C-alpha cells in the first residue's frame, strides 16, 4: 500500500508510448522524454508543475528533421541507474505456446488463488481467475527511496494464462496459453530477498504503465507510459514522512548512490 503518497498534479504528455524521467532542475522544472510509434520517435519536454509543458522538441513521427536534444541545465535530482533489485528479476516461459510441450509450469512463479482473484479484479478482466497459470517474467524497471528503509519500484510482470481453446499464433504455431503484461508500482524493503505477495503490489492510483520514478525534496516524480488512446503522463506526488522516515530516506539515497 502507498498510503504516504498524496497526488499533487498530473500532466499529460504528447503521445501514447514509453516515457522516462531526465531530471529536475533547481527551479523545480521536470525534464521528460517520450519514445513513441513503430520507429521509436523521440520527444522531450520541459515541464512546470504549475504551468504544464513549457518547451518541447519532437520528431513528429519523422515528418520533421531530427531536432537537437532539449538542453538540460544543472539538475538537482535525476533517476538512479543503480540496479538495487537485479537479483529479483527473472524471465521464464515464452509469451505463448503449448503448456505440456514446454513444461510451462516448471518455468512459472506460482500465484495463489487469492492473488489470481485480486489481479483479475484489479485489471477488471473478464476471465476466470483459475485460468491464470503464474508469473512468467518480472523486471524491476526503476526504483527510488520511499522511506523507512524501503524503496518504491516500477515493475513489469508477465502473467501466463490458459486459452479457452487451443489455437494458432501469428506465426501459425499451435498454442494453448498466452501472456499479458502488467505494470506495477509498489514498495519493497531495500534488503528484500524475494518479491512480495502480488496483492501488496496493486495500487489504488489510476495508472497505465508506471515506467520510471525518482524522489527529489520530498516529492515523487513518476513517468507513466501510455497505451492505445491513453497518452503518457507525468504524475507528481508528495511523500508524507515523519522525522525518522526522512532520516531513513537520506540513508537509502546514500546507499543507492554508493552501490
Amino acid at each position: 500500500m502507498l498510503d504516504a503518497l498524496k497526488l499533487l498534479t498530473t500532466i499529460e504528455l504528447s503521445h501514447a508510448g514509453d516515457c522516462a524521467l531526465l531530471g529536475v532542475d533547481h527551479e523545480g522544472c521536470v525534464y521528460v522524454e517520450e519514445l513513441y510509434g513503430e520507429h521509436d520517435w523521440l520527444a522531450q519536454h520541459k515541464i512546470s508543475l504549475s504551468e504544464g509543458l513549457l518547451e518541447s522538441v519532437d520528431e513528429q513521427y519523422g515528418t520533421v528533421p531530427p531536432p537537437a536534444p532539449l538542453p538540460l541545465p544543472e539538475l538537482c535530482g535525476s533517476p538512479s541507474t543503480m540496479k538495487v533489485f537485479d537479483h529479483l528479476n527473472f524471465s521464464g516461459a515464452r509469451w505463448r505456446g503449448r503448456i505440456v510441450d514446454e513444461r510451462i509450469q516448471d518455468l512459472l512463479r506460482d500465484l495463489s488463488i487469492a492473488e489470481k482473484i485480486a489481479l483479475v479484479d484489479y485489471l477488471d478482466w473478464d476471465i476466470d481467475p483459475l485460468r491464470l497459470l503464474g508469473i512468467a517474467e518480472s523486471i524491476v524497471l526503476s526504483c527510488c527511496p520511499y522511506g523507512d528503509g524501503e524503496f518504491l519500484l516500477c515493475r513489469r510482470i508477465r502473467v501466463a494464462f490458459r486459452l479457452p481453446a487451443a489455437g494458432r499464433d501469428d506465426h501459425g504455431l499451435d498454442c494453448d496459453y498466452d501472456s499479458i503484461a502488467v505494470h506495477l508500482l509498489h514498495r519493497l524493503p531495500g534488503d528484500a530477498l524475494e518479491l512480495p505477495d502480488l496483492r501488496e503490489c496493486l495500487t489504488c492510483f489510476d495508472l497505465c504503465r508506471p515506467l520510471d520514478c525518482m524522489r527529489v525534496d520530498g516529492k515523487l516524480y513518476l513517468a507513466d507510459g501510455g497505451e492505445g488512446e491513453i497518452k503518457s503522463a507525468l504524475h507528481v506526488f508528495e511523500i508524507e514522512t515523519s522525522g525518522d522516515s526522512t532520516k531513513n530516506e537520506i540513508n537509502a539515497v546514500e546507499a543507492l548512490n554508493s552501490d
Side-chain angles (χ1 to χ4, degrees):
M1 300 302 174
L2 302 174
D3 49 0
L5 292 182
K6 176 184 177 182
L7 181 63
L8 297 178
T9 187
T10 292
I11 298 170
E12 188 178 84
L13 303 180
S14 301
H15 304 282
D18 291 343
C19 57
L21 302 167
L22 299 176
V24 178
D25 67 19
H26 290 280
E27 296 183 353
C29 291
V30 189
Y31 294 79
V32 179
E33 70 178 15
E34 300 182 77
L35 291 175
Y36 63 93
E38 294 182 1
H39 299 286
D40 283 342
W41 305 114
L42 176 68
Q44 295 180 328
H45 311 286
K46 177 181 179 180
I47 300 172
S48 163
L49 300 191
S50 59
E51 301 176 52
L53 296 177
L54 295 180
E55 186 179 353
S56 296
V57 296
D58 194 333
E59 291 188 87
Q60 296 292 348
Y61 293 92
T63 61
V64 299
L70 199 65
L72 293 180
E74 181 180 352
L75 301 174
C76 63
S78 58
S80 170
T81 58
M82 298 298 126
K83 306 298 183 181
V84 180
F85 298 106
D86 268 5
H87 60 287
L88 298 178
N89 293 337
F90 68 88
S91 181
R94 297 191 302 133
W95 265 92
R96 56 191 59 86
R98 288 185 53 83
I99 294 172
V100 174
D101 293 350
E102 298 177 26
R103 301 179 63 182
I104 185 175
Q105 295 291 4
D106 295 337
L107 303 175
L108 301 177
R109 301 290 176 94
D110 290 336
L111 288 171
S112 68
I113 293 178
E115 288 177 295
K116 293 178 181 180
I117 293 172
L119 180 60
V120 168
D121 288 345
Y122 175 71
L123 297 175
D124 194 20
W125 190 9
D126 184 18
I127 186 176
D128 182 347
L130 297 183
R131 281 173 50 196
L132 303 189
L133 300 171
I135 299 178
E137 181 181 61
S138 175
I139 304 294
V140 176
L141 303 174
S142 178
C143 70
C144 66
Y146 183 69
D148 291 331
E150 294 185 315
F151 287 82
L152 193 68
L153 277 61
C154 295
R155 182 162 68 100
R156 184 187 69 239
I157 64 172
R158 181 163 54 85
V159 179
F161 61 94
R162 187 187 303 271
L163 294 170
R168 294 182 182 274
D169 63 17
D170 295 339
H171 302 287
L173 301 176
D174 293 338
C175 61
D176 58 5
Y177 81 88
D178 204 341
S179 301
I180 182 174
V182 182
H183 285 76
L184 305 170
L185 179 72
H186 64 91
R187 61 189 188 182
L188 193 66
D191 58 355
L193 297 178
E194 59 184 31
L195 293 167
D197 187 298
L198 187 58
R199 290 172 290 179
E200 299 177 18
C201 304
L202 306 178
T203 177
C204 61
F205 295 112
D206 185 16
L207 304 174
C208 183
R209 296 190 301 123
L211 298 174
D212 198 9
C213 61
M214 65 180 177
R215 179 174 185 162
V216 182
D217 294 335
K219 290 186 179 68
L220 170 72
Y221 299 85
L222 178 67
D224 191 14
E227 192 169 54
E229 298 298 318
I230 302 173
K231 290 186 177 180
S232 298
L234 169 68
H235 304 290
V236 183
F237 300 85
E238 180 182 8
I239 305 179
E240 300 173 346
T241 59
S242 65
D244 289 342
S245 295
T246 302
K247 181 178 179 180
N248 287 328
E249 174 198 347
I250 295 172
N251 292 338
V253 172
E254 291 176 348
L256 192 63
N257 291 335
S258 62
D259 195 344

